[in-house]
Amino acid sequence: MAAAPLLEIDDLRLAYATERGTVRAVDGVGLTLRRNEAVVILGESGCGKSSLAKALLRTLPRNAYAPEGRVRLDGAEVLGLPEERFRRQVRWVRIALVMQAAMNALNPVVRVGEQVAEPLRIHRGCSRRQAAARAAEAFAEVGIPGDFLQRYPHELSGGMRQRAVLAMALVTEPDIVVLDEPTSALDVLTQAAIMNVLKRIKRDRGVSFVLITHDVATSSEIADRVALMYAGQVVEEASAEAFFTAPAHPYSQMLMASVPRLHQPEPPQPIPGRPPSLLEPPAGCRFAERCPQRFDRCSEPPPALPLGERHRVRCWLHATGGGRP
Amino acid sequence: MSPWREGIARLRRYPSAVAGLAIIAALIATAVYTVIAIPYPQAQELWRGGERWQELPVNAGPVWADRLLGGDAPRTLTASSAAAETVEEAAYDGVRLNRTVLAVDYPYTEFPSEVTLFLEADFEQRRPFVRMRWRTPDGEVIPLGARRVGEQGRVSISQDRGLESRLGRAPQVGLFAEPGPAGTEERPEARPGRYELILETVHFERTSQLAAELVVYGQVHGLLGTDHERRDLAVALLWGTPVALAFGLLAAVGTTVTTLVIAAAGVWYGGWVDALIQRLTEINMILPLLPILVMVGTLYSTSIWLMLGVVVVLGIFSAGIKMYRAMLLPLREAGYIEAARAYGASNPRIILRYMVPRILPVLLPTFVTLIPTYVFLEASLAVLGLGDPVLPTWGKVLHDAQAQSALYHGHYYWVLEPAALLMLTGLGFAMLGFALDRVFNPRLRSV
Amino acid sequence: MSPRPAQAAAPGEPLLAARDLQTHFELRRWGFLRTGSVRAVDGVDLTLDAGEAAAVVGESGCGKSSLARTLLGLHRPTGGEARFEGQPLARLRGAALKAYRARVGYVQQDPYGALPPFMDVRRALEEPLIVHGVAPRAERERRIEAALEEVGLAPAGEVWGKYPHQLSGGQQQRVVIARALILRPRMILADEPVSMLDASVRVEILELLRRIQREHRLALLYITHDLSTVRHYTDRVLVMYGGRIVEQAPVEALLERPQHPYAEALLAALADPDPANARRERPVPGGEPPSLAAPPPGCRFHPRCPYAMAGTCDVYDPPALGVGEGHTAACWLRA
Ligand SMILES: Nc1ncnc2c1ncn2[C@@H]1O[C@H](COP(=O)(O)OP(=O)(O)OP(=O)(O)O)[C@@H](O)[C@H]1O
Ligand SMILES: Nc1ncnc2c1ncn2[C@@H]1O[C@H](COP(=O)(O)OP(=O)(O)OP(=O)(O)O)[C@@H](O)[C@H]1O
Ligand code: SF4
Ligand SMILES: [Mg+2]
Ligand SMILES: [Mg+2]
């Protein structure tokens, strides 16, 4: 392998304590990300995408257990870092997070310009003046007119608010920006505009992205790589090329067939059934219940099986000699 | 599971809620018991006072408190002629001489608070004549005088001035003291033993009868003690429970429900309806409740039900309206209400079935903590002398205690008992209310 | 469930017909000072036949929801006219209005918000029946059961006693659809019924709506901002921009040969999944959607239109011009 990965996630686990038991929202996720690469975490609601982001940045709710596994940033383990050092050296500084619905979580009584400058003052120790200048640059970068700095969140449209939180994540010049469903609440034109901004930033700034979405079409707008999650696990991790043209996992295939398309005469096929509960996930392959290609071996949990360079599939069909007889 | 049942299931995990519920359950049980055991007319009757209490000591503390403090204060002892033997000693020409001995076994070293002999004669024309003598356990006999007995007679032995000067000290002391010269001991002690009151009655008619009862009043009485009119405080404190709960509950329900419905109507109709409600609220908010109640009580009537009515009426357009309005305002845009309009639900239905139920869970804690504030209000009114004229309540006990300078005279129980009940009520509802707040108010709930 | 027999509407007359329909919201300061108005629906012409499914497509704030609410009778139109089965909506009052409401079902965007959180499924579905005096209770329960079965929530006993928060987003939306159907309407207005749902269940819900619409020969007005979800589920598409319908066309024609520059832009902003998407930017019309309080003169799209012709587009309002079989576009390019 040529470039050493910028971010390497290995066997990451995150569980929540709830009244009804332990919810294993992230259950052994592995992932690699190189510099200036964009990986899309794709998966349906409740499969653990946001939990993965939270575990990565340790912005955990109170009922979460400490995440387990390994997260290496430029080869250095960061998951075990004490909170204080993590906060000073990693969060916002190296990895920034745009949380799900962050555009609705802006402080309604503070001007957006000040809110965007805030991470700089906290994490980079900039003066008020420096921070304001940088914030203005970040605004220009995400395509917000400069005079919007002085406005309050409610004076901005949804698309503009989303750009503002994006600017907030970019001001500290992190290596990696994690975006949790940045476009799901927006209409298609605004979605396209935001995706254009992301593409431009990726090209001009060399930033790496981890983009979380449940929308296949959106994911193809930026992905170099795709990690498809199902019930707390990554079931397929592949290059965008491989994933969109020749998906290997039965779930990936069915997901592609379920996407409504503009120019396709045959109707999309929904995937029958529901994902399993994360309280008591099935012992074997988690997709087995809905999988039309299920066979005997699927009652055992499949490992992430390699299938070419940086392509892994959690499915027994791809085990050497283990496939369907 | 419905959100309500879920909430209640979750409530069980809060010890404070369980304790609060236990207190409330105990209060309710007491109230129910009281209403059944002492029906309302009887309670009024009892509290009016009078003869029925004549055998109870004045301002006696509760027995258990005295015993707890290691005291040995005497309880009330009685001896009745019905239980004693009456011997006919002589008879001549229809005139009879009877002798009755009323004996009390006095076990205490402290003196009784009073000694009284109640007499009741049954005759046609000529009143019987009775001579009274006191015999101490040492055999000493002290004459207590003689008198004719009417239909009802009462001999306040402890009030007898002549006897007092003969004994050199208060009769209830002198009659029970260790033998010896009066006034020499630092702190005189009573001599335990059998005391006898010897009654020699002369009947002038063949059929005339005399019933007598000696009451040696103690210094303590019962579970809760007595007041200055010898009334057993248990009556007032027991009856205070249903009155307090009913007043608190009715006032809280009355104000909360009407306020809520009015606030919801204002939010839903908007426009001038809302404006009118807002202005009325603002006017009402500057009207002071207590002075108005005092005025109504002084000029009109202090009936507790009238007070309740005034409290509810003044409570309708209270600050609560502003709070509920803020909570209800977002509901106007709620999807399910728009849907209800789209399928044709009427305005009253939307207000009562869709808006009000939505915020009830959030209001429940406030509602529960509101109950004791009304209980306290009722008590405060009574302390101010605006208590219900006929009903015994905790507030009126406090009022009497204050009027009689109970604390100055050392009758702490008189103040502490109603105060403790008020505090218990407040505590029970507050503990439940705070727990409910955690359960139903998502902002406070930590997962 | 058996569909109601069609009534009133004369043969050949559409079930729903709007002509120059307007809904303006007055902007007031301090509750009384008029400071202008928002022309959320500003001259909409549309027709919808019984048994026809049409999509209304447009970006956020273009007035789609306001149009739906006006057609539902939740807003009074401030101008123009809408007729349902030949009767003008604006004149419906009292019992007639209530009867109309039973004939139009409403499916909202946010399924969780659309269900009272304190009512279980049975109760939520019973409400419209109670409101419309359906009795006795056994009859209501029969209809609830039938409606739940219809939307694929069989056996009914399983969801019957559940509360909205105990259902998944897809199930909630099915309950909302069941509620819209329970009064046996002739028309369903679905305002972005899938945009809050997870991509994986969108198709299921759209299929369900389409199936029900076909089986009962209902008219369906499906409001969306996403053109990729109109094929297979509707017959006709109306493109809405700045409070107006700018293009109407059969669904295939619109997707393959859009005639209005705005429809073209909407299509260009979308793409089917393809790894190549990541390597090119999507063309997005610049600028902001027009202010509905002060719409631009002439064609409302002209400030963002790449083909705008000075002197024409910024002065004269283009009328709806026929460009094909059942296909109109309000654009001077088609004149
Ligand atoms: N704080 C929490 N406590 C308990 N369970 C949680 C918590 N947060 C998330 N979960 C559960 O963990 C699982 C994964 O949730 P997560 O938010 O990571 O999913 P997601 O893929 O981001 O879904 P969505 O697309 O809806 O945002 C879900 O089953 C969810 O119910
Ligand atoms: N009741 C109202 N009072 C005043 N203005 C309103 C009202 N309802 C809607 N508007 C305004 O009318 C315009 C159109 O809103 P509408 O909700 O119809 O748009 P939409 O196309 O449904 O948008 P979205 O995709 O965001 O739902 C907006 O500018 C909105 O602010
Ligand atoms: S009328 Fe002119 S401005 Fe409007 S869409 Fe057509 S070309 Fe563009
Ligand atoms: Mg999420
Ligand atoms: Mg809308």
Side-chain angles (χ1 to χ4, degrees):
Chain A
M1 263 191 235
L6 172 64
L7 179 73
E8 215 179 341
I9 301 173
D10 191 18
D11 197 26
L12 187 65
R13 287 163 197 279
L14 179 71
Y16 301 107
T18 70
E19 285 172 15
R20 291 185 297 144
T22 307
V23 173
R24 296 181 203 288
V26 180
D27 206 7
V29 163
L31 201 65
T32 57
L33 178 69
R34 293 189 186 154
R35 205 167 283 281
N36 198 18
E37 208 171 49
V39 60
V40 170
I41 315 266
L42 189 60
E44 58 198 286
S45 184
C47 70
K49 307 182 295 293
S50 299
S51 303
L52 174 61
K54 288 178 195 162
L56 195 58
L57 278 124
R58 291 208 226 149
T59 50
L60 298 170
R62 279 212 282 164
N63 64 328
Y65 294 104
E68 291 167 31
R70 284 164 299 282
V71 175
R72 276 185 291 269
L73 189 61
D74 270 337
E77 170 65 38
V78 293
L79 197 65
L81 283 183
E83 170 60 25
E84 179 56 27
R85 274 187 59 198
F86 186 84
R87 193 180 63 77
R88 264 190 293 116
Q89 300 178 357
V90 182
R91 193 185 300 144
W92 284 102
V93 184
R94 305 281 317 269
I95 311 180
L97 171 66
V98 176
M99 281 192 294
Q100 192 164 2
M103 58 185 255
N104 299 324
L106 286 168
N107 186 340
V109 296
V110 178
R111 293 175 203 279
V112 281
E114 277 171 52
Q115 296 192 54
V116 170
E118 185 149 305
L120 280 175
R121 317 218 316 120
I122 296 174
H123 297 281
R124 293 260 189 255
C126 290
S127 73
R128 186 175 287 268
R129 184 182 298 254
Q130 279 175 316
R134 268 296 295 133
E137 281 172 41
F139 260 46
E141 207 166 11
V142 297
I144 312 182
D147 56 326
F148 280 42
L149 280 165
Q150 299 305 316
R151 295 203 186 177
Y152 291 95
H154 71 94
E155 295 174 304
L156 303 187
S157 66
M160 287 298 168
R161 283 207 300 274
Q162 188 60 52
R163 288 171 202 245
V165 292
L166 188 57
M168 210 157 142
L170 287 169
V171 277
T172 53
E173 297 179 17
D175 299 317
I176 303 171
V177 179
V178 181
L179 302 148
D180 193 353
E181 309 266 10
T183 60
S184 300
L186 304 170
D187 73 55
V188 286
L189 286 184
T190 320
Q191 279 186 19
I194 299 271
M195 293 315 287
N196 283 347
V197 169
L198 292 181
K199 286 178 202 178
R200 229 171 288 149
I201 290 168
K202 177 163 173 271
R203 190 187 62 216
D204 301 346
R205 283 257 227 118
V207 180
S208 303
F209 284 108
V210 177
L211 184 118
I212 293 171
T213 182
H214 60 92
D215 190 291
V216 178
T218 305
S219 74
S220 78
E221 290 288 332
I222 189 147
D224 295 310
R225 303 183 52 70
V226 176
L228 177 63
M229 277 187 83
Y230 188 77
Q233 299 181 329
V234 171
V235 292
E236 179 161 1
E237 186 197 355
S239 68
E241 205 66 47
F243 188 85
F244 292 116
T245 52
H249 196 284
Y251 177 56
S252 315
Q253 293 161 0
M254 292 175 81
L255 186 70
M256 293 306 288
S258 77
V259 178
R261 287 162 201 256
L262 284 170
H263 308 287
Q264 176 181 295
E266 58 273 14
Q269 296 301 320
I271 309 172
R274 300 259 155 265
S277 150
L278 292 175
L279 278 168
E280 285 159 36
C285 170
R286 298 193 171 178
F287 188 61
E289 204 192 317
R290 301 167 80 181
C291 183
Q293 305 180 58
R294 168 183 65 234
F295 63 111
D296 303 344
R297 203 158 171 194
C298 302
S299 55
E300 290 165 45
L305 298 162
L307 194 84
E309 208 217 327
R310 296 185 81 197
H311 190 168
R312 292 194 294 174
V313 186
R314 220 178 252 278
C315 172
W316 286 121
L317 289 171
H318 299 278
T320 37
R324 201 188 280 274
Chain B
M1 230 194 309
S2 85
W4 287 104
R5 257 189 277 157
E6 218 169 282
I8 285 163
R10 207 179 283 125
L11 200 60
R12 277 200 238 128
R13 292 193 318 217
Y14 289 92
S16 82
V18 175
L21 272 173
I23 294 176
I24 295 168
L27 288 169
I28 291 175
T30 312
V32 170
Y33 163 79
T34 308
V35 175
I36 293 171
I38 319 173
Y40 183 65
Q42 195 190 333
Q44 281 189 17
E45 180 63 33
L46 281 173
W47 199 241
R48 205 170 291 144
E51 236 166 56
R52 66 177 68 249
W53 300 114
Q54 67 188 2
E55 290 182 13
L56 261 49
V58 171
N59 287 342
V63 175
W64 58 269
D66 176 69
R67 298 296 182 266
L68 212 60
L69 297 172
D72 185 33
R75 299 189 191 207
T76 302
L77 301 171
T78 58
S80 162
S81 61
E85 203 182 342
T86 300
V87 187
E88 188 167 299
E89 294 211 315
Y92 177 75
D93 194 16
V95 176
R96 291 172 294 133
L97 173 63
N98 284 359
R99 178 189 163 92
T100 310
V101 178
L102 301 177
V104 288
D105 286 309
Y106 194 77
Y108 309 104
T109 53
E110 279 182 62
F111 296 99
S113 60
E114 276 178 276
V115 182
T116 303
L117 177 66
F118 295 95
L119 296 167
E120 201 180 322
D122 186 7
F123 57 93
E124 276 170 18
Q125 257 133 40
R126 301 194 55 195
R127 292 184 287 169
F129 181 84
V130 65
R131 188 160 72 110
M132 301 161 289
R133 283 178 299 158
W134 185 255
R135 186 156 68 201
T136 66
D138 303 301
E140 189 188 346
V141 174
I142 303 164
L144 298 179
R147 57 158 70 194
R148 280 192 184 280
V149 187
E151 260 157 35
Q152 300 238 308
R154 172 197 178 114
V155 185
S156 295
I157 297 168
S158 46
Q159 306 276 306
D160 188 332
R161 296 282 152 231
L163 182 60
E164 185 173 348
S165 60
R166 266 191 286 139
L167 291 169
R169 45 189 162 180
Q172 71 269 32
V173 176
L175 292 178
F176 286 86
E178 289 280 358
T184 50
E185 317 91 322
E186 277 282 286
R187 219 177 143 266
E189 275 201 358
R191 180 196 191 301
R194 188 181 181 85
Y195 290 86
E196 290 174 351
L197 179 66
I198 303 157
L199 300 177
E200 285 160 332
T201 321
V202 182
H203 291 287
F204 300 101
E205 291 169 358
R206 200 164 308 225
T207 56
S208 95
Q209 297 284 334
L210 181 79
E213 185 171 30
L214 171 69
V215 181
V216 179
Y217 290 98
Q219 296 180 7
V220 290
H221 175 78
L223 194 60
L224 299 168
T226 62
D227 68 2
H228 60 301
E229 291 181 35
R230 303 178 188 274
R231 294 178 295 198
D232 191 336
L233 284 179
V235 172
L237 294 174
L238 278 176
W239 250 94
T241 318
V243 172
L245 291 183
F247 188 91
L249 199 68
L250 288 176
V253 169
T255 53
T256 310
V257 171
T258 45
T259 305
L260 190 52
V261 170
I262 289 178
V267 165
W268 182 242
Y269 290 111
W272 66 266
V273 179
D274 194 30
L276 180 71
I277 292 170
Q278 293 304 306
R279 296 301 88 73
L280 277 176
T281 307
E282 281 147 21
I283 292 169
N284 189 50
M285 274 162 72
I286 54 165
L287 292 182
L289 177 64
L290 205 56
I292 292 180
L293 286 173
V294 171
M295 258 164 60
V296 171
T298 321
L299 300 177
Y300 192 60
S301 149
T302 51
S303 154
I304 194 165
W305 309 120
L306 178 75
M307 291 293 171
L308 179 64
V310 176
V311 166
V312 170
V313 167
L314 290 179
I316 289 174
F317 289 98
S318 64
I321 280 205
K322 299 257 175 201
M323 187 178 87
Y324 302 155
R325 187 170 181 272
M327 289 159 80
L328 288 161
L329 220 41
L331 289 189
R332 212 159 72 159
E333 315 293 326
Y336 72 89
I337 287 181
E338 190 183 48
R341 277 186 72 200
Y343 57 66
S346 63
N347 287 331
R349 190 174 188 89
I350 286 174
I351 293 169
L352 296 175
R353 297 279 181 139
Y354 296 88
M355 295 180 81
V356 170
R358 180 72 186 92
I359 65 166
L360 274 186
V362 191
L363 285 192
L364 188 67
T366 338
F367 172 76
V368 167
T369 36
L370 198 61
I371 295 174
T373 64
Y374 285 117
V375 174
F376 295 161
L377 178 66
E378 186 274 325
S380 324
L381 286 174
V383 170
L384 289 176
L386 297 166
D388 188 89
V390 288
L391 258 188
T393 66
W394 297 338
K396 277 174 69 181
V397 173
L398 278 172
H399 175 70
D400 290 346
Q402 195 216 1
Q404 302 295 322
S405 314
L407 291 179
Y408 176 74
H409 292 297
H411 305 314
Y412 298 110
Y413 69 95
W414 202 353
V415 175
L416 289 182
E417 286 168 5
L421 283 168
L422 282 167
M423 264 159 39
L424 202 63
T425 310
L427 190 70
F429 284 102
M431 289 205 301
L432 178 65
F434 296 151
L436 281 171
D437 211 14
R438 286 179 171 275
V439 169
F440 286 114
N441 232 333
R443 279 173 298 122
L444 295 176
R445 189 156 78 218
S446 54
V447 194
Chain C
M1 275 201 298
S2 56
R4 275 172 190 246
Q7 47 168 248
E13 196 182 330
L15 182 72
L16 175 77
R19 226 166 23 78
D20 193 29
L21 189 67
Q22 297 173 6
T23 305
H24 296 179
F25 301 107
E26 303 223 317
L27 294 175
R28 289 168 189 276
R29 185 171 295 168
W30 304 315
F32 57 92
L33 272 187
R34 273 202 58 181
T35 55
S37 58
V38 175
R39 303 153 155 241
V41 178
D42 200 22
V44 164
D45 294 310
L46 65 81
T47 61
L48 194 61
D49 290 329
E52 187 191 25
V56 176
V57 183
E59 65 195 299
S60 185
C62 72
K64 306 181 297 291
S65 299
S66 303
L67 175 63
R69 291 196 188 109
T70 310
L71 295 177
L72 280 162
L74 298 178
H75 295 317
R76 289 228 172 264
T78 48
E81 189 184 58
R83 286 171 179 269
F84 183 81
E85 292 177 341
Q87 285 187 308
L89 285 191
R91 271 193 248 131
L92 293 179
R93 295 276 190 288
L97 182 60
K98 196 163 162 183
Y100 171 69
R101 296 201 146 140
R103 296 174 74 60
V104 185
Y106 185 28
V107 179
Q108 289 145 295
Q109 178 172 10
D110 171 12
Y112 182 68
L115 294 169
F118 47 85
M119 288 185 185
D120 60 16
V121 169
R122 192 190 66 78
R123 181 84 194 135
L125 292 182
E126 197 179 6
E127 275 292 309
L129 297 173
I130 295 174
V131 165
H132 286 272
V134 176
R137 193 190 163 94
E139 163 69 6
R140 293 200 294 263
E141 305 214 325
R142 202 184 56 70
R143 278 173 71 169
I144 294 168
E145 226 163 293
L148 285 175
E149 201 159 312
E150 179 96 49
V151 298
L153 289 176
E158 233 165 70
V159 285
W160 200 248
K162 290 204 172 168
Y163 285 80
H165 70 272
Q166 295 165 319
L167 303 174
S168 72
Q171 288 173 317
Q172 287 165 359
Q173 197 60 295
R174 284 168 195 269
V175 175
V176 173
I177 294 172
R179 182 175 65 187
L181 288 174
I182 206 150
L183 293 170
R184 298 175 182 159
R186 299 286 302 138
M187 176 168 82
I188 301 262
L189 292 179
D191 188 357
E192 309 218 24
V194 297
S195 68
M196 303 263 287
L197 299 181
D198 197 69
S200 61
V201 291
R202 283 181 185 168
V203 169
E204 289 174 32
I205 295 292
L206 290 171
E207 270 185 3
L208 173 71
L209 278 171
R210 180 62 156 169
R211 201 198 72 222
I212 289 168
Q213 178 262 327
R214 284 206 165 124
E215 274 174 20
H216 299 308
R217 260 183 54 79
L218 302 178
L220 171 71
L221 203 62
Y222 163 54
I223 292 172
T224 180
H225 63 83
D226 186 357
L227 266 176
S228 65
T229 59
V230 300
R231 185 177 286 220
H232 312 298
Y233 309 114
T234 57
D235 307 312
R236 210 146 57 85
V237 180
L238 314 174
V239 180
M240 194 166 178
Y241 187 78
R244 294 194 174 167
I245 305 291
V246 295
E247 182 165 359
Q248 299 199 33
V251 65
E252 298 279 323
L254 188 104
L255 292 177
E256 304 307 335
R257 298 176 302 280
Q259 295 299 308
H260 194 284
Y262 177 64
E264 201 178 290
L266 271 184
L267 270 169
L270 285 171
D272 291 339
D274 182 344
N277 290 345
R279 292 189 288 273
R280 53 176 180 244
E281 285 192 18
R282 300 246 135 247
V284 177
E288 294 271 307
S291 149
L292 293 177
C299 171
R300 295 199 171 170
F301 190 55
H302 87 257
R304 300 168 83 187
C305 179
Y307 315 109
M309 298 165 285
T312 310
C313 298
D314 51 354
V315 183
Y316 305 104
D317 204 355
L321 301 163
V323 290
E325 175 75 37
H327 194 162
T328 61
C331 170
W332 288 124
L333 292 177
R334 309 298 159 216

